[in-house]
Amino acid sequence: MMRYQANAFKRQANKALQDTTLQQALDRAQTGFVARRAKALELVDDFEHLKQQARAAKERALSEAAYLLERFECQVTANGGRVHWALDGAELNRTVIDICRQAGGRRIIKGKSMVGEETGLNPALEAAGFELVETDLGEYIIQLAQEPPSHIIAPAIHKTRHQVADLFARHHRQPPRTGDSIANLVAEARQQLRAQFLSADVGIIGANLLVAETGSVVLVTNEGNGDLSANLPRTRIVVASIEKIVATLEDANAVLEVLGRSATGQAMTAYTSFYQGPVQDDAAGSPQSYHVVLLDNGRSDLLAGPYRDILRCIKCGACLNHCPVYSNVGGHAYGSVYPGPMGSVLEPLLHELASTRPLPNASSFCGRCEEVCPMGIPLPRLLRQLRDRQHEQQLEPQGWRRGLGIYGWLSRHPRCFRLTLKLLRGALWLVPPPFWGQGRRPLRPAGRGTFVEQWHRASRNER
Amino acid sequence: MNGSHSRDRILSRLRQAPSAASRAPANPLSPVHGDPTRFRQLARDNHIHCEHCDEVTQGLQRIRQWMQEQELPSAPVVSGPLLSDARAAGWEPGPLSDLRRPHSVWINQSWCAVADTGTLVVLSRPEAPGYANFLAEHHWLLLDAGRILATKNDVWAQWRVEHDDTLPPAVHIISGPSRTADIEQTLQLGAHGPRSLNLMLVGR
Ligand code: SF4
């Protein structure tokens, strides 16, 4: 499993800011995602209306989550599959390992799954003796690099083509490539993974949605790797968290209307599959064995509380792509599975608040995340609630708490506040630029007098 | 911990949350047809190569010609319902296992299409299992021109009109050939699935 290092955010962020290769990759990624989403939204008459419908669909589902999950289970069973329930990550991993053992296979192919990342499924399977290959190109790249994903929909966004070419050269036993063009790299990965698809015993996939009325697992992809993983092996395992449930096929469509546009700027991704039951194949004879493992991991506790809104998240990644913090430091700096604004809310709720201290503070509260979130999740409000909780539990560093105490006192004593501002302004002139730290601009007081003095002067002049 | 214990605990915790459920809107009753011109435009934007023919045999002959132009080996794999038409067009299609070979071609029927997104809807059936749509290197879909629906919701409405509520094991909604932008955000077609997706519209 990735090492959980959320509390080292500051150090990791500083490192990321000085990594020029990473900065180039992030620049490219951010402009690409943001521009494509903007273009996709331009083509829709009323995106706000689509957002409202998607949000309503998810709210309906959360309001009757228990009933809908039971209905989903019933339908999957009727369609020839089996539903398993996991209270936490360890139980999900154990369940998946048991199914793989019963399947009698050793080779596993896997489609992209953030739930699998959350539970550390890959290392658990490898420790149990299974051979596992990630088949989403981005996931495959980071599996070779032995790194965690840095984005929820584009896991290898931090890698350049040359880094990918080096990785492939080290891991693929084949004659050297002619040139590092992206087309060549994609073709090479295709060739390598083809053999894996055709020989795997078990396929594990994630789910974008679960539909109660039909027992459907909805899988949204562009590469087709998820569908190959779901269909070719004799055993299919779907891992999904419980908040993926929606009531009807129409409700699933409502979410799909906003998912592709917000994620990759596509009205529809290349493949959206609704899986009701195991593969039926005249050529194969016996039916495929089909399992869905549902993960709670603390989500059911969130439903009745003040953080319920985050359960509407459809993992589109728009809040990451538009976040000034994420776009500058990238996903690895967060040291957690889910990065960016949605991760800064979800991670402290899934883990201890104390082990994710910097995350709710890794935000400038510019509000961009809430603006672009297709599910209307009030991310800044949720982050503020978490900050309040941290304060109540006295989790901030001593220096910070003391500083806040001083600021609180000063703001209740305006004269002292103004005097302190004056002193600090004078002190700023005395600090030589090198002390402002590497890569930061020395801040110089602007204009005549403190900000408050300048403000009063300007107001008088206006009058 | 056993699975049923976890199941009960998860469900009982979920039941503790207040439920202010607004009911799901009733499913629309009759499917609405979509604009074919808009459909073709959006399908092309999705990198779907579109052609048109009057009847199935003629369409299959045109596909045969396309395969020759592309210098592809001459035996495609054809889905069950199209087999007799393929034979009438003078073809002896290969078995499903041929799809594992390089340059394979899969010819299948699209159940309907969605004009709003330039999307094709394909059903998984025992004689045409879903994986074939992802394994082939080149994918051809034949679509009855009268089955272009307006939106994704009309797909489900159409299903309910023609069948009961039970869907087939898989419904694949396909909006172009396989693609990836995982390396430097640069779009490449043919990631793991078909490198090309081609549509033959049959009839008016
Ligand atoms: S919080 Fe909103 S914008 Fe961010 S990933 Fe979730 S749904 Fe997308």
Side-chain angles (χ1 to χ4, degrees):
Chain A
M1 199 189 311
M2 69 174 279
R3 270 177 57 216
Y4 204 82
Q5 292 184 314
N7 277 344
F9 175 78
K10 242 182 171 167
R11 182 166 42 79
Q12 287 153 185
N14 267 325
K15 214 171 113 198
L17 286 170
Q18 276 150 46
D19 182 338
T20 44
T21 322
L22 174 69
Q23 288 301 319
Q24 276 168 11
L26 287 172
D27 276 352
R28 191 170 28 236
Q30 200 219 2
T31 32
F33 274 131
V34 171
R36 277 199 296 273
R37 173 186 171 276
K39 208 167 151 209
L41 263 54
E42 265 172 29
L43 299 174
V44 183
D45 289 340
D46 189 354
F47 191 67
E48 277 308 308
H49 177 65
L50 295 184
K51 269 172 73 171
Q52 276 165 19
Q53 284 187 324
R55 186 183 165 156
K58 214 67 176 131
E59 268 306 322
R60 265 196 295 278
L62 293 177
S63 298
E64 17 177 35
Y67 163 70
L68 293 177
L69 285 164
E70 276 185 299
R71 177 127 195 245
F72 171 80
E73 180 185 37
C74 229
Q75 295 291 42
V76 171
T77 314
N79 295 341
R82 191 171 159 206
V83 174
H84 309 255
W85 302 73
L87 268 175
D88 55 22
E91 191 177 0
L92 180 134
N93 295 350
R94 269 199 314 275
T95 310
V96 173
I97 289 171
D98 285 348
I99 300 169
C100 293
R101 287 207 175 113
Q102 277 157 25
R106 214 164 47 90
R107 277 193 287 248
I108 302 174
I109 46 172
K110 194 163 155 278
K112 193 175 131 27
S113 155
M114 285 311 292
V115 159
E117 297 291 339
E118 183 181 324
T119 67
L121 180 58
N122 290 11
L125 282 163
E126 279 159 0
F130 294 99
E131 270 172 35
L132 182 139
V133 180
E134 288 283 355
T135 58
D136 170 85
L137 181 56
E139 287 284 345
Y140 177 64
I141 292 168
I142 59 164
Q143 188 187 22
L144 295 183
Q146 299 189 326
E147 288 173 14
S150 68
H151 191 287
I152 54 176
I153 65 160
I157 205 166
H158 57 288
K159 289 263 182 263
T160 63
R161 78 178 76 181
H162 302 297
Q163 290 173 318
V164 175
D166 286 346
L167 273 172
F168 283 6
R170 257 185 287 143
H171 288 88
H172 296 164
R173 270 183 242 119
Q174 63 177 57
R177 223 173 304 108
T178 44
D180 286 350
S181 78
I182 292 174
N184 279 348
L185 293 169
V186 172
E188 185 172 327
R190 178 187 173 105
Q191 196 190 343
Q192 290 285 329
L193 287 167
R194 249 315 136 117
Q196 307 288 348
F197 283 123
L198 294 173
S199 61
D201 307 301
V202 179
I204 301 178
I205 57 167
N208 294 86
L209 293 163
L210 308 169
V211 185
E213 72 167 335
T214 47
S216 311
V217 165
V218 186
L219 182 66
V220 177
T221 68
N222 267 310
E223 297 182 10
N225 67 302
D227 291 285
L228 286 168
S229 305
N231 281 301
L232 285 173
R234 299 306 303 146
T235 300
R236 177 201 299 158
I237 306 173
V238 179
V239 291
S241 46
I242 51 173
E243 86 286 5
K244 293 275 159 75
I245 194 80
V246 290
T248 62
L249 292 167
E250 280 73 13
D251 278 355
N253 279 352
V255 174
L256 291 173
E257 289 289 347
V258 299
L259 176 59
R261 291 183 170 101
S262 305
T264 49
Q266 292 167 283
M268 287 288 280
T269 54
Y271 303 116
T272 302
S273 295
F274 286 70
Y275 287 103
Q276 285 66 240
V279 179
Q280 286 166 13
D281 176 0
D282 274 355
S286 64
Q288 187 190 36
S289 125
Y290 172 42
H291 303 263
V292 181
V293 190
L294 296 176
L295 174 72
D296 180 348
N297 210 19
R299 288 166 173 85
S300 54
D301 286 334
L302 298 180
L303 194 64
Y307 298 96
R308 172 192 169 108
D309 288 330
I310 195 65
L311 294 177
R312 284 201 307 272
C313 176
I314 52 170
K315 316 281 181 320
C316 71
C319 59
L320 279 66
N321 302 333
H322 291 78
C323 172
V325 178
Y326 177 90
S327 332
N328 277 290
V329 302
H332 287 166
Y334 291 80
S336 55
V337 172
Y338 300 99
M342 57 78 56
S344 296
V345 173
L346 193 59
E347 289 286 346
L349 299 171
L350 298 183
H351 294 87
E352 303 260 288
L353 209 49
S355 61
T356 52
R357 236 181 326 103
L359 298 188
N361 302 295
S363 164
S364 64
F365 279 170
C366 70
R368 233 10 218 137
C369 49
E370 181 171 1
E371 224 172 278
V372 298
C373 175
M375 302 307 285
I377 301 174
L379 291 154
R381 175 167 63 75
L382 299 179
L383 288 169
R384 229 183 327 260
Q385 283 171 205
L386 285 165
R387 286 189 192 181
D388 287 348
R389 248 175 74 189
Q390 285 186 336
H391 191 70
E392 281 157 22
Q393 294 180 21
Q394 308 201 347
L395 292 173
E396 302 110 322
Q398 272 301 319
W400 178 256
R401 288 185 71 79
R402 234 171 264 146
L404 274 183
I406 295 170
Y407 182 78
W409 186 88
L410 282 173
S411 31
R412 278 177 313 220
H413 300 82
R415 259 189 221 165
C416 298
F417 184 80
R418 270 180 233 141
L419 184 68
T420 315
L421 275 189
K422 230 179 211 160
L423 290 173
L424 284 174
R425 189 172 192 276
L428 276 178
W429 283 108
L430 303 176
V431 181
F435 284 94
W436 284 93
Q438 230 180 334
R440 292 185 202 165
R441 270 181 301 132
L443 190 66
R444 283 283 169 238
R448 209 156 42 81
T450 64
F451 175 77
V452 177
E453 285 165 352
Q454 291 184 46
W455 180 270
H456 285 317
R457 243 196 334 269
S459 316
R460 269 199 304 276
N461 288 346
E462 255 173 42
R463 263 185 262 132
Chain B
M1 209 172 301
N2 73 36
S4 77
H5 168 79
S6 302
R7 178 186 187 278
D8 295 345
R9 273 188 62 185
I10 294 170
L11 289 174
S12 84
R13 277 192 217 157
L14 290 173
R15 282 197 192 97
Q16 278 159 24
S19 154
S22 60
R23 281 275 140 197
N27 298 327
L29 289 177
S30 44
V32 177
H33 281 265
D35 172 9
T37 316
R38 178 173 162 77
F39 164 70
R40 270 199 300 266
Q41 179 57 49
L42 291 176
R44 284 197 196 103
D45 292 350
N46 286 339
H47 303 271
I48 302 175
H49 165 78
C50 302
E51 297 207 19
H52 187 267
C53 67
D54 289 330
E55 50 178 59
V56 173
T57 331
Q58 190 194 1
L60 290 171
Q61 271 155 0
R62 170 64 198 121
I63 295 174
R64 191 172 197 177
Q65 196 188 340
W66 175 87
M67 285 175 66
Q68 280 159 2
E69 287 160 16
Q70 306 290 317
E71 296 177 12
L72 295 166
S74 56
V77 182
V78 178
S79 88
L82 289 171
L83 263 178
S84 53
D85 295 300
R87 289 193 179 117
W91 249 334
E92 191 41 58
L96 276 168
S97 56
D98 276 4
L99 291 175
R100 296 166 178 242
R101 299 204 181 137
H103 312 298
S104 58
V105 179
W106 166 239
I107 306 175
N108 191 11
Q109 259 173 339
S110 179
W111 185 68
C112 68
V114 180
D116 239 19
T117 47
T119 292
L120 295 152
V121 180
V122 180
L123 309 180
S124 168
R125 288 168 279 121
E127 72 283 2
Y131 66 78
N133 303 304
F134 302 95
L135 201 53
E137 201 150 321
H138 300 280
H139 192 186
W140 271 95
L141 283 167
L142 275 73
L143 172 71
D144 179 341
R147 296 185 66 91
I148 299 173
L149 304 173
T151 67
K152 287 194 286 294
N153 279 350
D154 295 308
V155 174
W156 308 131
Q158 182 75 27
W159 179 265
R160 288 181 189 114
V161 168
E162 289 179 27
H163 304 267
D164 56 6
D165 271 347
T166 318
L167 290 169
V171 178
H172 303 292
I173 302 183
I174 304 182
S175 309
S178 154
R179 66 195 64 191
T180 182
D182 270 351
I183 305 180
E184 294 192 355
Q185 293 272 298
T186 308
L187 182 69
Q188 287 295 319
L189 298 184
H192 298 295
R195 293 180 196 278
S196 75
L197 176 61
N198 312 278
L199 169 68
M200 183 63 72
L201 267 173
V202 185
R204 302 204 170 267

